[in-house]
Amino acid sequence: MASTRFIITVIGIDKVGIVAKVTGIMAEHSVNIVDISQTIMEDLFTMIMLAEAREENFDLKGFQTAMQKTGEELGVDIRVQNEDAFRFMHRI
Amino acid sequence: MLVHPEEIMETIQMVKTENLDIRTVTMGINLRDCVHPEISQFNRNIHNKIVEYAHDLVSTAEDVESLYGIPIINKRVSVTPIASIAAKFNKEDFISIAQTLDSAAAEVGIDFLGGFSALVHKGMTPGEKTLISAIPEALANTEKVCSSVNVATTRAGINMDAVALMGKTIKEAAQLTADRGGIGCAKLVIFANAPEDNPFMAGAFHGIGEPDCVINVGVSGPGVVNAAVRELKDPDLGEIAETIKKTAFKITRMGEMAGREASRRLGVEFGVVDLSLAPTPEVGDSVAAILEAMGLESCGTHGTTAALALLNDAVKKGGSMASSYVGGLSGAFIPVSEDAGMIAAVERGSLDLAKLEAMTSVCSVGLDMVAVPGDTPASTISAIIADEMAIGMINHKTTAVRIIPAPGKTVGDSVEFGGLLGTAPVMSIHDFSSEEFVKKGGRIPAPIQALTN
């Protein structure tokens, strides 16, 4: 069974309001932040979040679509991927 | 366990810029319980069973794709070799079966369906002969149906009567699809030692030893391996092998994860991960590029076979650590038309058919998606098949031939198939005849390696 925790990555040119917008959409979908790290490498804004969906019938596709739309508005690349994609791939 | 940011960024880069993907999720479906003496009822049975089992396949694969954020390129179905369950029918009936398979494939929305197949390595039954005679029309009149014929095994030897027949069948398949560059031949594979759990087309079929329904996954990532090799600073070949191994491990782990999730959601047994490097026509997603990253000026030059042997073995070593259920064809695929680096190598004259044949002795599949002049005699095609089958038979490995005598084309021309099938430059062949050799027929006896008990 896949877990309900997701890695959200936001990569793009830094500007005011990225975190506010992204976390706003998360709140709308009742997605909770478990861990967050954010760096700015030169001009490139990079945010990695471990997030958790608590609801039984979490609409992943709806959430991904909303995040993608927000990313387009902000001019950044936002991806929402199940955490297993990263755990499974690199570790035994 | 903490997920490391570097691992996260690495995975994203693999998908975003290095074309990492799960090439195919293939549902194998047993059709042996569909047997019926009436062709209409038989067709209804197979249609119903495929639709019943596979109706959620595409949507489930799409859900898994979005869950992990890793693209799944093709969704496919493989079925029991039709010749082994439809022995009594005539040619028209067999064509109607192909059309039934095609319509079932269209109904469930998959990309390809494999299994219009026959296993004739030791001999042909009348039903198998009829199926083979129906192949050219079946492929010309369907969109998604793929066909394969196993003509040799290490245990049985090479059925040269079947090899002779397949040369003619390929020519006919090319002629019947001449208006589309002979695309019928791109959907037809001739095998030695065909694996029964192969998720890759056109050679996929659902083997007799398999369960009623099974999910097999084929992973692929030449772009990722290429990037990893190119990133090394002045490496020796041992370091290159190590890097390929590690990368293959990651790619295979991902395939296993996605395959297991898909099989869980569909309530279907999980079969194998086929750990392969299968190229696409995309620039960078090329097996030839990896060979060139090892220091060869152009794929096909001296040293290419050694480099390919290193690559193929490292892929298997990394992959076998990542999954306990590895199967199919597993290794590096070198289809000419589907690999931008291979196409370039043929065009610049560094890669010819003879070198390609040598390369197939150390990698998966064989002479794959090779175009030859349209006026190539059937006997020459049969002889090319026989050579490749001999490599498979003697070396205990799977080999295959997917060759296109491109109608009306000659050396210097190329044929365009579009999509994953790509563009095939027409390669030159020997002018000397193989007619008398092929005409002799019979069976090339199994080699002494067959007697291992």
Side-chain angles (χ1 to χ4, degrees):
Chain A
M1 176 80 193
S3 90
T4 51
R5 302 211 301 184
F6 298 90
I7 302 282
I8 301 172
T9 51
V10 184
I11 304 167
I13 304 298
D14 193 20
K15 63 159 72 166
V16 176
I18 296 180
V19 179
K21 274 248 180 177
V22 169
T23 49
I25 303 288
M26 290 170 70
E28 278 172 30
H29 286 79
S30 309
V31 175
N32 189 36
I33 299 174
V34 179
D35 197 358
I36 179 166
S37 89
Q38 187 236 301
T39 53
I40 295 171
M41 298 187 299
E42 297 189 0
D43 273 349
L44 209 60
F45 173 88
T46 312
M47 180 164 73
I48 300 174
M49 270 186 285
L50 179 60
E52 190 170 23
R54 293 248 174 83
E55 273 178 33
E56 280 279 305
N57 301 316
F58 175 60
D59 174 17
L60 174 62
K61 281 209 170 151
F63 180 56
Q64 283 174 327
T65 312
M67 283 301 232
Q68 205 185 342
K69 210 171 131 237
T70 308
E72 279 162 21
E73 284 165 20
L74 291 165
V76 294
D77 182 49
I78 306 184
R79 285 164 193 258
V80 181
Q81 292 165 272
N82 190 282
E83 66 166 345
D84 290 349
F86 306 96
R87 287 193 191 289
F88 226 83
M89 186 165 177
H90 300 273
R91 314 275 180 92
I92 298 176
Chain B
M1 186 175 68
L2 214 67
V3 186
H4 200 279
E6 262 177 37
E7 291 169 348
I8 293 172
M9 297 314 285
E10 186 187 336
T11 307
I12 288 172
Q13 191 189 347
M14 282 172 157
V15 173
K16 207 176 155 185
T17 62
E18 294 160 7
N19 304 319
L20 175 66
D21 56 49
I22 292 168
R23 186 55 51 84
T24 176
V25 170
T26 303
M27 178 181 270
I29 302 173
N30 160 42
L31 296 183
R32 277 180 284 170
D33 53 357
C34 298
V35 172
H36 196 276
E38 293 289 326
I39 183 66
S40 54
Q41 186 58 44
F42 180 74
N43 275 330
R44 261 197 301 280
N45 290 351
I46 47 181
H47 182 273
N48 291 346
K49 183 152 184 190
I50 292 168
V51 171
E52 184 196 334
Y53 274 59
H55 68 280
D56 285 338
L57 176 62
V58 172
S59 62
T60 304
E62 281 167 359
D63 286 346
V64 171
E65 181 177 46
S66 112
L67 180 71
Y68 297 124
I70 291 160
I72 298 174
I73 307 298
N74 270 197
K75 295 90 187 171
R76 300 168 174 178
V77 163
S78 64
V79 298
T80 309
I82 293 299
S84 46
I85 54 167
K88 280 220 148 178
F89 298 124
N90 62 30
K91 189 174 162 186
E92 281 64 43
D93 294 338
F94 272 105
I95 293 164
S96 79
I97 294 170
Q99 283 163 335
T100 304
L101 294 172
D102 205 40
S103 75
E107 193 172 326
V108 297
I110 52 167
D111 302 287
F112 284 109
L113 183 147
F116 195 74
S117 304
L119 307 168
V120 298
H121 36 273
K122 209 166 177 184
M124 276 182 279
T125 63
E128 284 157 348
K129 270 188 197 155
T130 316
L131 179 126
I132 291 172
S133 73
I135 286 174
E137 275 184 65
L139 295 180
N141 293 314
T142 56
E143 288 293 318
K144 297 170 190 283
V145 172
C146 292
S147 176
S148 60
V149 179
N150 193 63
V151 299
T153 65
T154 299
R155 287 296 176 100
I158 306 174
N159 181 348
M160 287 300 289
D161 293 325
V163 169
L165 187 57
M166 290 322 294
K168 294 181 190 133
T169 307
I170 287 172
K171 287 285 284 186
E172 201 185 328
Q175 273 144 20
L176 291 183
T177 51
D179 54 333
R180 287 169 282 161
I183 200 168
C185 303
K187 297 187 285 177
L188 171 60
V189 181
I190 322 302
F191 269 119
N193 296 322
E196 301 193 328
D197 54 8
N198 161 30
F200 286 107
M201 294 298 166
F205 63 84
H206 184 74
I208 301 297
E210 297 281 312
D212 200 41
C213 188
V214 70
I215 289 287
N216 294 326
V217 171
V219 296
S220 184
V224 179
V225 173
N226 187 21
V229 172
R230 280 178 197 271
E231 222 165 75
L232 297 173
K233 303 257 180 315
D234 200 20
D236 70 16
L237 291 170
E239 288 167 72
I240 291 177
E242 183 66 20
T243 300
I244 296 170
K245 219 165 73 177
K246 285 180 186 158
T247 313
F249 172 84
K250 291 177 187 176
I251 298 170
T252 311
R253 287 288 285 174
M254 195 195 64
E256 163 119 9
M257 174 187 70
R260 287 203 179 273
E261 183 63 20
S263 84
R264 189 189 65 77
R265 289 181 181 215
L266 288 162
V268 170
E269 220 171 300
F270 180 69
V272 299
V273 184
D274 186 310
L275 47 106
S276 290
L277 294 184
T280 65
E282 298 264 333
V283 175
D285 207 22
S286 154
V287 171
I290 304 173
L291 304 177
E292 288 165 5
M294 287 189 216
L296 300 166
E297 188 182 356
S298 178
C299 178
T301 189
H302 305 293
T304 303
T305 310
L308 183 58
L310 182 159
L311 171 66
N312 200 58
D313 180 66
V315 167
K316 287 183 187 172
K317 282 175 178 159
S320 59
M321 179 73 185
S323 169
S324 291
Y325 294 95
V326 167
L329 291 164
S330 292
F333 281 55
I334 49 169
V336 174
S337 78
E338 301 170 12
D339 186 313
M342 290 282 175
I343 295 169
V346 173
E347 284 170 350
R348 66 171 87 96
S350 70
L351 181 62
D352 59 14
L353 211 52
K355 187 63 179 179
L356 208 52
E357 184 188 308
M359 289 162 72
T360 65
S361 62
V362 299
C363 77
S364 291
V365 189
L367 292 175
D368 196 18
M369 289 304 282
V370 174
V372 295
D375 60 359
T376 305
S379 60
T380 299
I381 291 173
S382 292
I384 294 171
I385 295 171
D387 282 341
E388 198 56 44
M389 298 301 106
I391 291 173
M393 172 182 79
I394 296 291
N395 295 301
H396 275 283
K397 71 188 287 291
T398 303
T399 53
V401 173
R402 188 158 52 139
I403 192 167
I404 304 122
K409 306 267 181 173
T410 183
V411 179
D413 297 339
S414 59
V415 262
E416 176 73 46
F417 297 117
L420 274 181
L421 295 173
T423 306
V426 176
M427 299 177 78
S428 67
I429 49 153
H430 276 293
D431 292 331
F432 303 101
S433 173
S434 314
E435 184 83 40
E436 286 303 311
F437 174 72
V438 170
K439 217 165 71 185
K440 289 192 170 16
R443 183 151 59 94
I444 296 182
I448 191 73
Q449 295 98 298
L451 306 177
T452 55
N453 295 319

